[in-house]
Amino acid sequence: MKTLQTKTGFWILCMPIIVYSQVSEDLKPSQCVTKKSCGECVTIHPECGWCSAKDFDSDGSRRCDTIGNLIGKCPNKDIVHPNSKMEKLEDRHLSDTRTSEEDPVQIKPQKIKLKLKPKSPFSLNVEFRQAVDYPVDLYYLMDLSKSMEDDKDKLAALGNLLATTMGNITNNFHLGFGSFVDKIVMPYVSAIPEKLVEPCTNCAPPYGFKNHMPLSINTKQFEKQVKAASVSGNLDAPEGGFDAIMQAVVCHDHIAWRNKSRKILLFSSDSGFHHAGDGKLGGIVKPNDGLCYLDKYGNYNMSIHQDYPSLSHINMQVKRNKVNIIFAVTGDQFSIYERLSDQLEGSTVGRLENDSSNIVELVKGQYSKITSTVKLQDNARNEIIDIKYYSSCLGGQRRNTNECEGLKVGNSVSFEASIEVKKCPKNKAEWNQTVQIYPVGLNEALLIDLEIICECPCEKPWNEERNSDKCTHGNGTYQCGICRCYDGRSGKKCECDSKDADPTTVEAKCIFGNDTKSCSGRGICHCGICECFSRQNPQEKVTGKFCECDNFSCDRDEGQICSGPDHGTCECGECQCLSDWMGHACECRKTNETCVAPDSNKICSGHGECKCGTCECFESENQRYSGRFCEDCPTCPGLCEDLKECVQCLMFESGPLTTEECKNCTFIPVEINEAEVTESDQRLCVFRDDDDCKYKFVYKLDENEKPLVWVQRTKDCPEPINILAIVLGVIGGIVLVGLAFLLTWKLLTTLHDRREFAKFENERKMAKWDTGENPIYKQATTTFKNPTYGGK
């Protein structure tokens, strides 16, 4: 941001608090100069200022201009450039002790006064810290239709555990209980008299909503009230939960919500819900008005007279009363209430067991989820005020966010709120607004008393000079250095009589052609005559009857208007070139001398066109000339192919041409030792003849486009091949390879035999038997036994 300071180093306007502002868009010169009043001027862009000095614009100077342009021209005391400023009205420290007798403070600061100019963002630091033992009000709102009978019994048994668990979280805990069924009309409940008394076995008569137990520190009473409550019945599947939520939220005194507490509405059900419009099925057409209608017994007595509330209506009341809703629903309803939770500020949803046995853990988990997150919201009108939030939360990178998670009691989080006024409201009553920045679900907020700067101090009624003698014959009000003329008068000093003249006709005299701006937007229409603005650069002039001409908007070349004074001058937006120059910016010489090569007399070598002193070379499918003078043509085929046969014939007496045909060649080659390109317009040609000999020659075209040829006198021929040496070499190679294979085979065989013989000798020496006898041979033995002999 550019800091606006005078050349002497002091601020133009003093402010109690210096405000950081960021210019959101680049300043266009026309944004300032087209504004005719101080208020319009200073609010169009942060860098626009107004000079309120008397007769400042008598020489055509612009009262509305950038601060940089006004400094030095306008006296410092007369430069009007109101800046944003902020004053803290209430800035108490955040609460951090258990013994504080005052209401806990969790957001800082609490109240500020802010003066803000449009399009000048203001950065405000907002701190949040969750206080220890912050009061908690938990109101249990339960669906007591017949299907929830087992849940009621389980809740009664878990009542003390719920109170104990929440008591471990905070010492300042209140608990209440309410229930709901549905509207007592068809088709929601049966209209049969007996069913209205007992809709199901051992059931109580149906009802809309009942407050059984207001919020109280006596949590033991909760168990008694839950046991005493009777279930009821209805016909359709959806319940009247929206009626119950609305009454539980808005009936502040009946429910006994505390002003400074975290308000939690625990909604428990196993069914869906009716919403706005469903009441028409029962003949109920009156919309829900969002007011409290509980009688002295806690019963909702407008259930059959008002329709169900809408989702947006509930959300509005939830935001207004700072209530967090926890939806504890069974698994089959979870997805429905999850989508519902997305539409209600500060609400969450948890999965409830079929008998509500996990209600304590669910409440503990959802409460932890709510309290571990802080989310800042505001009530600013988006079409006028834009607020962006930035934070690094508990560490990490600073990012654009209004929400921080993972907080614990005692953690401090700092947010930067960037507040920007988009535009001045048309209604002056909206120039002063009260904006709240608040943490969702808490009845605490930062109050911003916002004053939108839409006019200059010198435009205030007490700074005006009515019937001023500074305006001709007192025909206007003098303010901010200019006259605001009365009806029938016009002009800088109200000197023009426009009483009998049509203002549109007078203004039309200052409009050029089909232009929509008076004096081309570069002057002031004074009594039907344009007075052109002066420029910051004294060399730049705006002229013409309608200020339509100038000497600075002509075409430029290399940054100079009309290529500089040596080439031409700018008159009414067009370059007037001197005699030797031409072109839109007088950048082109009228002569073609710069397009002719030093060693030629042809423009662009005859292969291009001279434009603005530069050659533009011709191009075709096969030829593309280049170079400063179009002297090069890398892609051109040339005359090599056309000349090669004549070169063979005339120089080497070879080639396809006969002696007669050779006489038709139109050039005489010149023998040289080495064919090389020595001049820029020469071409080297290399070919091979039928004997595979390479020959070279160089050519170029003379002034008459005839070839001049220089031929290298010797050809480069390959050495002749010795066939006999090749044959003998191949035979010798085959013999040597064969002998090598035989020797290798013989060597490997001999080594193998010797290894086997050595192994045999070693085994023979180690034998343990007579070598003359076979060790595996055994002679036969004969055994005789007398069968009659018994061994006696």
Side-chain angles (χ1 to χ4, degrees):
M1 187 198 85
K2 294 181 178 179
T3 305
L4 306 179
Q5 290 179 298
T6 64
K7 292 182 178 179
T8 57
F10 60 88
W11 295 95
I12 296 173
L13 293 178
C14 296
M15 299 187 302
I17 297 177
I18 304 300
V19 174
Y20 168 82
S21 72
Q22 180 180 0
V23 178
S24 59
E25 56 180 318
D26 294 334
L27 176 63
K28 299 177 181 178
S30 60
Q31 285 180 280
C32 295
V33 301
T34 58
K35 303 307 171 185
K36 298 181 180 180
S37 69
C38 185
E40 291 179 344
C41 178
V42 299
T43 59
I44 190 62
H45 194 279
E47 291 190 25
C48 292
W50 180 269
C51 181
S52 62
K54 181 182 178 182
D55 297 329
F56 175 74
D57 54 356
S58 59
D59 60 350
S61 298
R62 298 170 300 196
R63 288 189 179 274
C64 185
D65 208 336
T66 62
I67 292 297
N69 290 340
L70 289 177
I71 294 175
K73 294 181 180 180
C74 179
N76 289 336
K77 64 182 181 63
D78 293 322
I79 295 179
V80 182
H81 184 254
N83 283 303
S84 304
K85 62 181 180 180
M86 183 265 287
E87 179 184 358
K88 292 183 179 180
L89 303 179
E90 187 176 351
D91 190 23
R92 291 180 291 147
H93 292 292
L94 298 174
S95 301
D96 56 1
T97 61
R98 295 174 180 265
T99 58
S100 176
E101 297 180 358
E102 299 179 354
D103 288 335
V105 177
Q106 299 184 113
I107 191 169
K108 181 180 185 299
Q110 295 80 43
K111 188 174 182 179
I112 66 170
K113 184 176 183 180
L114 179 62
K115 290 185 177 181
L116 199 57
K117 192 166 61 173
K119 301 180 182 179
S120 297
F122 173 83
S123 294
L124 174 66
N125 189 52
V126 182
E127 294 182 60
F128 175 84
R129 182 168 64 205
Q130 184 173 299
V132 177
D133 283 338
Y134 192 76
V136 176
D137 291 340
L138 175 62
Y139 189 79
Y140 197 110
L141 182 58
M142 187 175 188
D143 174 9
L144 281 189
S145 58
K146 182 66 175 177
S147 60
M148 292 286 287
E149 187 171 15
D150 57 339
D151 299 73
K152 181 184 78 72
D153 297 336
K154 180 65 68 173
L155 178 63
L158 295 175
N160 289 332
L161 179 60
L162 177 62
T164 302
T165 302
M166 293 303 297
N168 293 332
I169 297 174
T170 174
N171 293 328
N172 199 342
F173 175 63
H174 287 190
L175 183 62
F177 173 63
S179 65
F180 65 91
V181 181
D182 212 336
K183 294 185 181 296
I184 318 171
V185 294
M186 283 288 289
Y188 315 111
V189 300
S190 175
I192 300 174
E194 293 82 0
K195 293 292 184 180
L196 289 176
V197 176
E198 188 177 9
C200 51
T201 305
N202 296 326
C203 289
Y207 56 93
F209 164 70
K210 184 174 183 179
N211 177 28
H212 297 276
M213 173 186 167
L215 291 162
S216 171
I217 196 173
N218 185 8
T219 55
K220 294 182 179 180
Q221 185 69 17
F222 178 80
E223 181 179 358
K224 296 179 181 179
Q225 291 293 337
V226 175
K227 287 182 177 180
S230 300
V231 297
S232 186
N234 60 333
L235 292 179
D236 59 346
E239 315 290 5
F242 273 20
D243 271 346
I245 291 176
M246 178 62 77
Q247 293 302 301
V249 170
V250 302
C251 293
H252 197 275
D253 295 333
H254 293 79
I255 304 299
W257 296 111
R258 288 177 287 178
N259 187 39
K260 291 286 186 178
S261 69
R262 187 178 290 277
K263 304 172 183 62
I264 298 178
L265 180 64
L266 179 59
F267 181 95
S268 174
S269 179
D270 63 351
S271 299
F273 46 84
H274 285 294
H275 51 78
D278 286 357
K280 294 180 180 179
L281 297 174
I284 303 173
V285 296
K286 183 179 180 180
N288 192 291
D289 58 12
L291 300 178
C292 179
Y293 292 102
L294 296 186
D295 59 19
K296 61 181 181 180
Y297 303 107
N299 294 310
Y300 175 40
N301 55 24
M302 291 293 286
S303 174
I304 62 175
H305 301 293
Q306 288 190 2
D307 192 7
Y308 301 98
S310 66
L311 180 58
S312 61
H313 198 178
I314 291 178
N315 187 50
M316 181 186 71
Q317 294 295 350
V318 165
K319 293 169 62 175
R320 179 179 297 172
N321 292 278
K322 313 299 182 186
V323 177
N324 296 106
I325 301 179
I326 299 176
F327 293 105
V329 295
T330 52
D332 57 333
Q333 301 294 325
F334 185 83
S335 61
I336 298 174
Y337 281 89
E338 189 174 33
R339 292 194 294 270
L340 173 64
S341 175
D342 293 337
Q343 306 301 318
L344 295 177
E345 183 177 280
S347 66
T348 61
V349 59
R351 196 180 302 272
L352 186 67
E353 297 295 340
N354 290 331
D355 60 352
S356 298
S357 58
N358 68 326
I359 190 65
V360 176
E361 289 301 319
L362 188 149
V363 171
K364 182 179 178 181
Q366 294 300 314
Y367 177 78
S368 176
K369 182 178 179 181
I370 292 173
T371 56
S372 64
T373 301
V374 59
K375 182 177 182 180
L376 295 189
Q377 292 281 46
D378 57 73
N379 64 346
R381 292 176 56 185
N382 294 334
E383 68 274 14
I384 298 177
I385 303 170
D386 180 39
I387 302 182
K388 293 184 176 66
Y389 300 92
Y390 302 89
S391 179
S392 58
C393 294
L394 296 178
Q397 295 293 329
R398 178 179 177 271
R399 56 194 176 93
N400 185 355
T401 181
N402 65 335
E403 183 174 1
C404 288
E405 300 177 343
L407 305 182
K408 296 181 180 178
V409 174
N411 289 151
S412 294
V413 179
S414 180
F415 290 90
E416 179 188 322
S418 178
I419 308 171
E420 180 180 4
V421 175
K422 296 180 180 179
K423 60 181 179 180
C424 283
K426 294 181 179 180
N427 185 359
K428 285 191 175 184
E430 297 179 354
W431 290 2
N432 290 278
Q433 299 192 14
T434 299
V435 178
Q436 288 188 358
I437 295 179
Y438 58 90
V440 172
L442 292 176
N443 193 21
E444 294 186 56
L446 163 60
L447 297 180
I448 303 175
D449 183 5
L450 177 62
E451 178 184 342
I452 303 177
I453 302 175
C454 293
E455 62 181 1
C456 299
C458 55
E459 290 178 312
K460 301 290 186 182
W462 50 85
N463 289 327
E464 294 179 341
E465 294 182 27
R466 295 185 175 275
N467 306 319
S468 174
D469 56 2
K470 298 173 184 175
C471 306
T472 303
H473 304 302
N475 287 318
T477 299
Y478 184 78
Q479 60 176 204
C480 299
I482 61 173
C483 288
R484 194 179 68 216
C485 302
Y486 300 144
D487 293 341
R489 306 298 297 184
S490 62
K492 285 185 179 180
K493 295 186 177 181
C494 308
E495 68 275 19
C496 302
D497 185 3
S498 57
K499 181 177 181 181
D500 298 326
D502 184 2
T504 304
T505 304
V506 174
E507 189 76 11
K509 293 180 180 180
C510 296
I511 296 178
F512 178 66
N514 295 325
D515 199 350
T516 58
K517 296 180 180 179
S518 173
C519 300
S520 305
R522 304 194 291 183
I524 296 177
C525 186
H526 181 212
C527 300
I529 299 175
C530 286
E531 294 183 0
C532 303
F533 294 140
S534 62
R535 301 278 296 177
Q536 183 178 5
N537 184 350
Q539 302 299 324
E540 297 179 353
K541 304 291 183 182
V542 178
T543 58
K545 180 180 179 181
F546 305 99
C547 303
E548 75 278 13
C549 295
D550 60 62
N551 65 346
F552 52 84
S553 61
C554 292
D555 291 333
R556 298 171 182 257
D557 184 61
E558 296 183 355
Q560 290 189 315
I561 298 175
C562 300
S563 303
D566 295 336
H567 289 215
T569 58
C570 180
E571 296 181 12
C572 202
E574 293 185 1
C575 288
Q576 302 298 320
C577 303
L578 299 180
S579 57
D580 294 336
W581 298 94
M582 58 184 294
H584 295 293
C586 302
E587 74 279 18
C588 302
R589 289 185 178 272
K590 288 184 177 180
T591 178
N592 293 330
E593 293 178 358
T594 56
C595 294
V596 180
D599 55 349
S600 172
N601 59 1
K602 292 184 178 181
I603 295 176
C604 300
S605 304
H607 303 306
E609 183 180 1
C610 186
K611 291 184 178 180
C612 196
T614 304
C615 285
E616 290 189 6
C617 302
F618 298 143
E619 293 183 6
S620 63
E621 185 176 351
N622 297 323
Q623 297 181 344
R624 183 169 295 178
Y625 289 92
S626 61
R628 179 181 176 184
F629 304 105
C630 303
E631 71 277 14
D632 296 329
C633 184
T635 61
C636 294
L639 300 177
C640 288
E641 289 290 338
D642 296 335
L643 300 176
K644 73 173 185 176
E645 293 180 352
C646 286
V647 170
Q648 283 184 280
C649 171
L650 295 174
M651 187 69 186
F652 302 109
E653 297 181 355
S654 61
L657 298 182
T658 64
T659 304
E660 294 297 326
E661 292 173 334
C662 189
K663 295 178 180 179
N664 296 327
C665 294
T666 60
F667 64 90
I668 299 175
V670 178
E671 289 187 34
I672 56 177
N673 292 328
E674 185 69 26
E676 294 180 346
V677 175
T678 59
E679 299 178 14
S680 61
D681 54 352
Q682 289 181 338
R683 293 286 298 271
L684 175 65
C685 305
V686 181
F687 295 100
R688 288 188 179 274
D689 60 14
D690 296 339
D691 297 328
D692 201 26
C693 292
K694 182 170 67 174
Y695 63 96
K696 299 189 292 184
F697 62 92
V698 177
Y699 79 90
K700 75 172 184 177
L701 300 178
D702 60 12
E703 295 179 355
N704 299 320
E705 298 295 324
K706 291 184 178 181
L708 301 175
V709 183
W710 295 267
V711 184
Q712 183 173 311
R713 60 171 50 92
T714 59
K715 295 192 292 185
D716 186 7
C717 298
E719 293 289 337
I721 300 175
N722 191 339
I723 303 299
L724 179 60
I726 294 176
V727 173
L728 293 177
V730 171
I731 294 174
I734 294 174
V735 172
L736 290 175
V737 171
L739 290 175
F741 272 114
L742 289 174
L743 290 174
T744 302
W745 173 79
K746 182 62 177 176
L747 178 61
L748 293 175
T749 303
T750 301
L751 292 174
H752 180 267
D753 290 345
R754 288 182 178 180
R755 189 181 296 110
E756 291 296 324
F757 180 75
K759 183 179 179 181
F760 170 75
E761 285 293 326
N762 187 46
E763 290 178 350
R764 188 172 63 82
K765 290 178 182 179
M766 297 176 64
K768 297 180 182 181
W769 60 83
D770 188 1
T771 56
E773 181 181 349
N774 190 344
I776 66 175
Y777 172 76
K778 290 185 179 182
Q779 293 182 348
T781 57
T782 304
T783 303
F784 298 95
K785 186 175 183 180
N786 188 351
T788 62
Y789 177 71
K792 296 180 181 179

